[in-house]
Amino acid sequence: MEENIIKYANITRSELERISPLTLAYLGDTVYESFIREYLIRKNIFLKINDLHKQAIKYVNAKAQSKAIKSLEEILTEEEMRVFKRGRNHKKNTSAKNASVIDYRHATGFEALIGFLYLKDEDERLEYIVKKSIEIIESE
C-alpha cells in the first residue's frame, strides 16, 4: 500500500489556488483541531477526555482563532494573506453560534490558511503558524 496516499493525492498549484476557501476552511478546521488535541494530550497526558475537550474549546473557537490571526497577519506572506482574505471574505449561508460575525469570518480565514498550508505540504510553516497561534491564545 502506498504511504500517505490520502494526504499526498496530487493537487496542482493551479488546482490549489482554485479550491473554494470554504473547502480549505473545512479541512483547516480538522487539521488545526488535530494539532490542538495532540498539543493538549502531550501537555496533560492524564486528563480525562471531557477535560481535554473543555480545554480544546479555548483554542478552536472563533474568538480565539480570530485573535490569533489578527496577531499573525504581519508575519504572513503575500500568498498566505491572499488565502486568509479569500476565506475571511467568502460569503456563506451559515453564521456563528457563539461568536461575532467579524470573529467568525476571521476564524474562517484562519482555517482556510491552515487548510491551504496543509494541502501545499508546507509542514514547517503550518507547524510554526499553529505554535504561534497557541502562544497568542495562551497569552490571554
Side-chain angles (χ1 to χ4, degrees), residues 81-92:
M81 187 59 116
R82 223 176 11 259
V83 172
F84 161 68
K85 286 181 177 179
R86 281 182 56 221
R88 182 194 65 193
N89 297 336
H90 195 79
K91 304 285 185 241
K92 52 189 161 205

Side-chain angles (χ1 to χ4, degrees), residues 7-9 11-32 35 69 76-88 107-127 129-130:
K7 180 176 178 188
Y8 296 108
I11 295 177
T12 67
R13 182 151 185 82
S14 173
E15 289 170 332
L16 187 57
E17 290 172 1
R18 291 191 328 256
I19 292 175
S20 161
L22 295 184
T23 301
L24 293 173
Y26 172 75
L27 177 61
D29 176 57
T30 298
V31 171
Y32 179 69
F35 269 98
I69 194 65
L76 297 181
T77 67
E78 286 183 33
E79 180 181 51
E80 291 167 347
M81 187 59 116
R82 223 176 11 259
V83 172
F84 161 68
K85 286 181 177 179
R86 281 182 56 221
R88 182 194 65 193
T108 302
F110 173 79
E111 291 172 345
L113 174 60
I114 298 296
F116 176 80
L117 292 172
Y118 181 81
L119 285 177
K120 197 174 174 195
D121 294 326
E122 288 196 11
D123 297 336
E124 283 183 34
R125 183 65 172 167
L126 173 60
E127 191 171 320
I129 295 288
V130 171

Side-chain angles (χ1 to χ4, degrees), residues 30-79:
T30 298
V31 171
Y32 179 69
E33 187 162 357
S34 291
F35 269 98
I36 294 303
R37 287 182 179 194
E38 181 178 347
Y39 167 73
L40 291 173
I41 290 167
R42 289 179 185 277
K43 187 176 167 185
N44 309 286
I45 60 171
F46 298 113
L47 273 185
K48 294 178 181 174
I49 299 299
N50 191 42
D51 294 330
L52 285 168
H53 177 70
K54 286 177 184 175
Q55 284 195 16
I57 290 169
K58 295 174 187 173
Y59 298 86
V60 300
N61 69 70
K63 187 175 182 176
Q65 291 176 349
S66 177
K67 178 184 176 185
I69 194 65
K70 286 175 186 173
S71 294
L72 291 169
E73 281 186 52
E74 62 192 35
I75 65 160
L76 297 181
T77 67
E78 286 183 33
E79 180 181 51

